[in-house]
């Protein structure tokens, strides 16, 4: 008996043969495509071995619905966000399981605007998947699939247009790029070389054969950090498999991490473009201090890329992102983009004439700690009530779970959309205080 796949507001993921079957994939694709206006659909994949087979099912399904497909092959998720607009498609499907292990695969859904679909759209797709009958096209109205002629030039041009490349080229930076068998090397190498960098590439073949666990965390990047410390490399850029997230390692082999990516980018962007900034509720306070330095307003959205981009559009933000290493520049696209991060960080290093380690150390230091609490949905309301009663001295925001804010720290408790757990996240000036905040909140949620 097949298990159920994990369905979020923006897509689906699972393990082939366990929770992903051809029937499941086809039904979910049909549920998405039938919500879209008439027109062509773009598809792409992140390089996982199963992506080719999934792609054939997805292309066939879309064609049998009477729609044409543009197949971009292996491409990064932010590249797909550019291509769907470039080719004026009605939507896109990126075949990817993001940072999940190799046995996983799935789909990210995007609209004609190149954004991950909204929560409202995601609910409509899920409801259609669960109950709507598929209407197949007659034999003489079946769509066709054509390959994308050039999947990368437009994306690179958009990123380069946001910075001044020539001073960076003169520096001839020595850079490590860890694409880890994902899709990031395709644009990453060409972008860095266009910026005059000498690139040492790890996991450059986009075949899904990961050199290390795919999430770009400190523990998973120890071999890359060791390589950076043993050479004259000035910076190492580390991507997740679909290249929408970026972590940084400095010139001494020290893991700077994902939380610093958006803050470093902000220092560069706001020096050129003043305006509102949007981050999500679980992103570091250091971004608030950077924005304040430039006298720019900053707003927090609910957690989730679609929520960040929606708030960015509402606020007419000049920049935004999530603390998982996902910078978003509307001049390139309303989508998390590791290449935007690389370009801005290199420009910041060039303008400030300082190594990346020094620039990171100059940012306000905060420590984020994350816990998971197993809870049944029927326990949530009472647990959240106890937490509000305990933390009366904080400013509390509701809607996306609970967010408690004090002058120098914050804590979030929010239920997962896909698992019977509550995520508890705290940030303060010390790891010890953040850990204690999480432990205390966990006990309160459990009624201990």
């Amino acid at each position: 008996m097949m298990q159920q796949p994990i369905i979020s507001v923006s897509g689906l993921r699972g393990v082939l043969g366990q929770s992903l079957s051809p029937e499941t994939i086809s039904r979910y694709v049909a549920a998405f495509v039938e919500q879209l206006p008439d027109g062509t659909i773009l598809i792409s994949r992140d390089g996982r071995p199963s992506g080719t087979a999934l792609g054939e099912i997805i292309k066939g399904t879309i064609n049998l619905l009477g729609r044409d497909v543009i197949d971009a092959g292996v491409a990064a998720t932010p590249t797909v966000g550019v291509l769907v607009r470039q080719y004026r498609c009605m939507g896109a499907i990126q075949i990817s399981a993001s940072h999940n292990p190799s046995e996983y695969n799935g789909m990210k859904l995007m609209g004609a605007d190149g954004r991950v679909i909204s929560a409202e759209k995601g609910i409509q797709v899920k409801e259609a998947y669960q109950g709507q009958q598929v209407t197949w096209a007659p034999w003489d109205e079946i769509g066709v699939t054509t390959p994308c002629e050039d999947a990368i030039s437009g994306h690179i041009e958009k990123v380069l247009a946001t910075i001044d490349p020539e001073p960076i080229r003169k520096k001839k930076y020595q850079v490590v790029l860890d694409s880890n068998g994902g899709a990031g090397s395709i644009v990453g190498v060409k972008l860095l070389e266009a910026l005059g960098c000498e690139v040492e590439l790890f996991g450059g073949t986009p075949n899904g054969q990961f050199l290390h666990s795919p999430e770009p965390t400190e523990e998973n990047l120890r071999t890359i950090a060791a390589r950076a410390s043993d050479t004259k490399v000035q910076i190492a850029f580390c991507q997740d498999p679909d290249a929408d997230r970026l972590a940084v390692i400095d010139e001494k082999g020290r893991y700077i991490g994902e939380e610093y990516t958006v803050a470093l980018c902000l220092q560069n962007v706001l020096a050129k473009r003043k305006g509102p900034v949007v981050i999500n509720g679980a992103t570091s306070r250091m971004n608030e201090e950077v924005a304040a330095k430039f006298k720019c307003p900053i707003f927090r959205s609910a957690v989730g890329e679609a929520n960040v981009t929606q708030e960015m559009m509402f606020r007419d933000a000049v920049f935004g992102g999530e603390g998982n290493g996902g910078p978003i520049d509307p001049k390139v696209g309303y989508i998390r983009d590791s290449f935007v991060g690389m370009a801005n960080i290199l420009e910041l290093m060039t303008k400030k004439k300082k190594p990346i380690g020094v620039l990171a150390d100059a940012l306000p230091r905060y420590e984020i700690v994350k816990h998971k609490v197993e809870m049944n949905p029927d326990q949530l309301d009472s647990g959240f009530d106890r937490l509000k009663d305990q933390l009366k001295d904080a400013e509390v925001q509701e809607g996306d779970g609970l967010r408690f804010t004090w002058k120098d720290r914050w804590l979030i408790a929010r239920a997962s959309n896909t698992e019977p757990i509550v995520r508890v996240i705290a940030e303060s000036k010390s790891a010890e205080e953040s850990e204690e905040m999480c432990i205390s909140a966990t006990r309160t949620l459990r009624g201990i």
Side-chain angles (χ1 to χ4, degrees):
M1 182 175 175
M2 289 288 292
Q3 302 169 10
Q4 289 299 308
I6 299 168
I7 300 178
S8 69
V9 294
S10 60
L12 166 151
R13 69 183 186 271
V15 178
L16 284 166
Q18 295 182 21
S19 54
L20 278 187
S21 68
E23 180 187 12
T24 298
I25 295 160
S26 185
R27 281 177 50 217
Y28 190 76
V29 169
F32 170 57
V33 171
E34 291 195 323
Q35 308 291 320
L36 300 175
D38 290 342
T40 302
I41 313 298
L42 189 135
I43 79 159
S44 180
R45 55 192 173 88
D46 72 2
R48 291 168 188 264
S50 58
T52 301
L54 263 68
E56 294 302 318
I57 297 168
I58 292 167
K59 286 184 287 187
T61 299
I62 298 171
N63 289 160
L64 289 168
L65 289 166
R67 300 292 195 99
D68 292 341
V69 172
I70 294 176
D71 185 358
V74 178
T77 292
T79 302
V80 176
V82 172
L83 289 172
V84 70
R85 291 175 286 137
Q86 180 179 327
Y87 287 95
R88 298 181 180 179
C89 296
M90 292 299 102
I93 298 174
Q94 170 72 325
I95 303 166
S96 174
S98 190
H99 61 273
N100 287 100
S102 299
E103 63 268 26
Y104 281 82
N105 215 328
M107 292 173 269
K108 287 186 179 180
L109 310 179
M110 299 182 205
D113 56 3
R115 292 197 302 144
V116 172
I117 62 171
S118 67
E120 292 77 15
K121 293 283 187 185
I123 291 169
Q124 291 173 13
V125 173
K126 185 175 181 179
E127 289 175 347
Y129 165 77
Q130 291 173 335
Q132 183 171 302
Q133 291 294 316
V134 179
T135 303
W136 302 105
W139 67 272
D140 56 349
E141 294 180 14
I142 293 171
V144 297
T145 295
T146 55
C148 181
E149 294 293 328
D150 179 5
I152 65 173
S153 296
H155 190 185
I156 293 172
E157 288 169 6
K158 282 183 174 294
V159 173
L160 291 176
T162 66
I163 59 169
D164 183 2
E166 195 53 41
I168 302 173
R169 292 179 182 131
K170 292 177 181 177
K171 288 290 186 179
K172 301 185 184 301
Y173 288 113
Q174 290 184 293
V175 176
V176 163
L177 175 61
D178 172 34
S179 297
N180 196 26
S185 63
I186 296 171
V187 168
V189 172
K190 289 189 178 297
L191 174 66
L192 292 170
E193 288 177 346
L195 291 171
C197 298
E198 182 180 323
V199 183
E200 183 177 1
L201 180 61
F202 288 86
T205 303
N207 57 9
Q209 301 298 320
F210 302 140
L211 303 180
H212 54 76
S213 295
E215 191 163 14
T217 61
E218 182 172 13
E219 181 180 357
N220 295 339
L221 295 174
R222 294 192 189 282
T223 55
I224 305 300
R227 179 61 182 168
S229 67
D230 290 341
T231 64
K232 293 181 180 179
V233 166
Q234 285 140 309
I235 191 168
F237 294 122
C238 306
Q239 302 168 302
D240 70 332
D242 67 327
D244 62 353
R245 292 167 57 182
L246 181 70
V248 175
I249 292 170
D250 75 8
E251 69 282 358
K252 296 179 180 178
R254 179 183 55 151
Y255 177 82
I256 292 174
E258 296 177 300
E259 281 293 338
Y260 283 78
T261 300
V262 173
L264 289 164
C265 290
L266 272 185
Q267 283 199 312
N268 190 56
V269 171
L270 296 183
K272 301 181 292 183
R273 292 185 258 152
K274 298 284 195 301
V277 175
V278 175
I279 55 177
N280 74 22
T283 298
S284 176
R285 288 175 61 95
M286 73 175 84
N287 296 282
E288 295 178 346
E289 296 198 27
V290 171
K293 175 185 172 185
F294 290 97
K295 298 181 180 179
C296 292
I298 189 165
F299 303 93
R300 288 186 181 268
S301 73
V303 173
E305 181 180 359
N307 296 318
V308 176
T309 57
Q310 189 166 326
E311 188 73 10
M312 285 179 69
M313 296 177 78
F314 176 71
R315 301 288 182 181
D316 195 20
V318 298
F319 207 79
E322 297 191 289
N324 60 5
I328 302 170
D329 188 339
K331 287 186 173 293
V332 179
Y334 283 100
I335 194 163
R336 296 183 312 202
D337 191 326
S338 64
F339 311 105
V340 162
M342 294 179 200
N344 275 285
I345 290 171
L346 288 173
E347 186 173 50
L348 181 67
M349 291 166 59
T350 303
K351 286 182 174 180
K352 296 289 187 180
K353 299 179 181 179
K354 293 178 180 178
I356 186 61
V358 172
L359 293 170
D361 287 341
L363 287 167
R365 184 76 184 179
Y366 289 94
E367 300 289 346
I368 289 182
V369 173
K370 301 178 182 182
H371 282 212
K372 295 179 183 178
V373 186
E374 291 187 8
M375 290 188 72
N376 292 325
D378 58 3
Q379 299 174 315
L380 287 178
D381 289 344
S382 58
F384 281 179
D385 285 342
R386 286 192 297 270
L387 202 55
K388 285 189 287 186
D389 190 58
Q390 181 192 19
L391 303 177
K392 287 180 178 178
D393 60 328
E395 177 186 338
V396 62
Q397 293 172 284
E398 300 187 52
D400 185 31
L402 298 174
R403 189 176 197 278
F404 300 93
T405 307
W406 297 265
K407 183 178 180 181
D408 58 350
R409 65 194 193 281
W410 55 260
L411 181 137
I412 287 176
R414 59 185 297 272
S416 168
N417 293 321
T418 56
E419 302 172 83
I421 62 171
V422 173
R423 301 186 190 278
V424 178
I425 308 171
E427 182 181 50
S428 71
K429 284 288 188 179
S430 75
E432 293 79 10
E433 183 178 12
S434 298
E435 178 73 19
E436 180 53 41
M437 289 168 66
C438 284
I439 291 172
S440 176
T442 296
R443 289 172 176 164
T444 301
L445 285 168
R446 287 176 170 166
I448 299 176

